[in-house]
Amino acid sequence: MKRRVVALTMITAMALGMMTGCGADSSSASASSSASGSSSASASSASGEDTYNISFIVKLTDGHFSKVMAGAQAYADEHDNVNVDILSPTSATAYDEQVNMIETSLSTDSTNGVVISPLQSDSAANLVAGTDKAIIACDTDFTSDVKSAFVGTGNKDAAKAGGKAVVEMAIANGIENPTVVILTGVQGDETHDARLEGYREGAEEAGGTVLEVQYCDGIADKAANSMEAVMQNYQDGADCVLSTNDDMAMAASKVMKDSGGEAYADTLLCGFDGNQTALEAVKEGTLAMDVAQEGYAMGYKSMEAIIAVLNGESVDSFIDSGATVVDSSNIDEYIETMKEIGVWEE
């Protein structure tokens, strides 16, 4: 039996079309005996294997997390003894909703393990403390003695590669000491903070100067307002705008286009996530590049890891799901790969 529930969202269309982002060390972490027998709730499938019920709690239902959810569901579909419930809060700031989801999953006897992509890392760590269920962090890490692994992008390294590539592109276009603005998410979010740090390091090492960092909560509307403020503050323009997610990058792009001004006409924009809209913008030339997370692999590997833990196997403490800097040189190849694994909507 396969089970998939997306709570507190109106995303039926996305769910039907779904199959169309903190480095850590790689030391091995042994699955605890309490996790492998979590709640003693696993039954047996027809094949004689234990049946596992997994709660998979994401942050959002955007393009990146649609891939994560597709990967998680694909794993369950391939394994008759695995059921997955996928849940999401309504927004990136719906903290109480996600807290309720985590609490409910942890208190449900039939749930054997919980995969969490936390909106607030500290909150997630506090909520899971003392649980005997298997716990995996996905996309965004949190510190916990009961967590067996973090599955996600090496966010700092991936962003560093993107920041370096954008500044090098600006220099190749004839700009000396390119100026950089960074749009980022909620201050204190481990994922966005790691990307911010990586962008800054990559840009500065390549010869750029970071003018300003704008905290936009990862939300497009706030990024649009921030970009308008940046354009007022730096009326002569900025050479590069780096965003720690794709929604903010696309919002910034629209603001610059709608302004009709010359100062930002040649600004190079870089997003982060690998959402289809952003990748299409790279192909069209609206974005210079995008740091594309491998969301499908992230969801699939998270499920793979939590089932391994439940089976009493050892897993690495950090499982890198991968990332690719996509620009005009490799966009066609990347889109073709996404089509082949069924996560590109025609």
Side-chain angles (χ1 to χ4, degrees), residues 8 98 101 133:
L8 298 177
Q98 192 183 60
M101 291 172 183
K133 297 184 187 296

Side-chain angles (χ1 to χ4, degrees), residues 91-144:
S91 76
T93 55
Y95 307 121
D96 289 344
E97 291 178 11
Q98 192 183 60
V99 165
N100 182 62
M101 291 172 183
I102 296 171
E103 289 177 335
T104 300
S105 297
L106 293 173
S107 64
T108 301
D109 289 341
S110 60
T111 299
N112 304 102
V114 187
V115 178
I116 305 171
S117 176
L119 289 171
Q120 295 176 306
S121 296
D122 290 345
S123 175
N126 290 331
L127 289 167
V128 302
T131 187
D132 64 348
K133 297 184 187 296
I135 302 293
I136 296 291
C138 172
D139 180 77
T140 299
D141 200 7
F142 57 90
T143 302
S144 171

Side-chain angles (χ1 to χ4, degrees), residues 6-9 58-61 69 86-90 97 101:
V6 180
L8 298 177
T9 58
V58 299
K59 290 182 180 181
L60 292 168
T61 54
M69 292 186 291
I86 303 175
L87 305 103
S88 172
T90 53
E97 291 178 11
M101 291 172 183

Side-chain angles (χ1 to χ4, degrees), residues 239-300:
D239 300 311
C240 310
V241 174
L242 311 178
S243 172
T244 59
N245 75 16
D246 283 340
D247 288 347
M248 294 188 294
M250 296 303 294
S253 173
K254 186 176 187 304
V255 168
M256 287 189 285
K257 180 180 179 181
D258 290 349
S259 73
E262 292 296 319
Y264 285 82
D266 296 323
T267 298
L268 300 177
L269 271 160
C270 178
F272 197 121
D273 272 339
N275 293 349
Q276 182 164 332
T277 53
L279 293 170
E280 289 171 338
V282 172
K283 186 169 177 62
E284 294 164 1
T286 306
L287 296 186
M289 60 187 66
D290 194 69
V291 182
Q293 299 189 87
E294 306 302 339
Y296 185 92
M298 192 181 297
Y300 193 97

Side-chain angles (χ1 to χ4, degrees), residues 164-176 178-179 239-240 268:
K164 182 173 182 287
V166 174
V167 169
E168 288 177 345
M169 180 181 287
I171 292 172
N173 290 344
I175 298 171
E176 296 182 7
T179 53
D239 300 311
C240 310
L268 300 177

Side-chain angles (χ1 to χ4, degrees), residues 7-83:
L8 298 177
T9 58
M10 298 296 291
I11 62 165
T12 302
M14 179 178 292
L16 293 173
M18 243 168 52
M19 290 304 295
T20 32
C22 302
D25 62 46
S26 58
S27 60
S28 179
S30 296
S32 67
S33 59
S34 61
S36 63
S38 72
S39 302
S40 300
S42 59
S44 295
S45 66
S47 64
E49 296 177 294
D50 286 339
T51 297
Y52 296 124
N53 300 314
I54 306 301
S55 179
F56 200 116
I57 303 170
V58 299
K59 290 182 180 181
L60 292 168
T61 54
D62 63 4
H64 165 62
F65 278 105
S66 71
K67 294 178 184 177
V68 174
M69 292 186 291
Q73 187 64 48
Y75 183 92
D77 289 344
E78 292 173 9
H79 297 80
D80 291 338
N81 66 318
V82 176
N83 303 309

Side-chain angles (χ1 to χ4, degrees), residues 215-235:
Y215 289 93
C216 313
D217 294 344
I219 297 172
D221 288 346
K222 291 186 178 182
N225 293 336
S226 293
M227 194 65 226
E228 289 173 352
V230 167
M231 294 172 72
Q232 285 292 322
N233 293 338
Y234 304 98
Q235 296 187 15

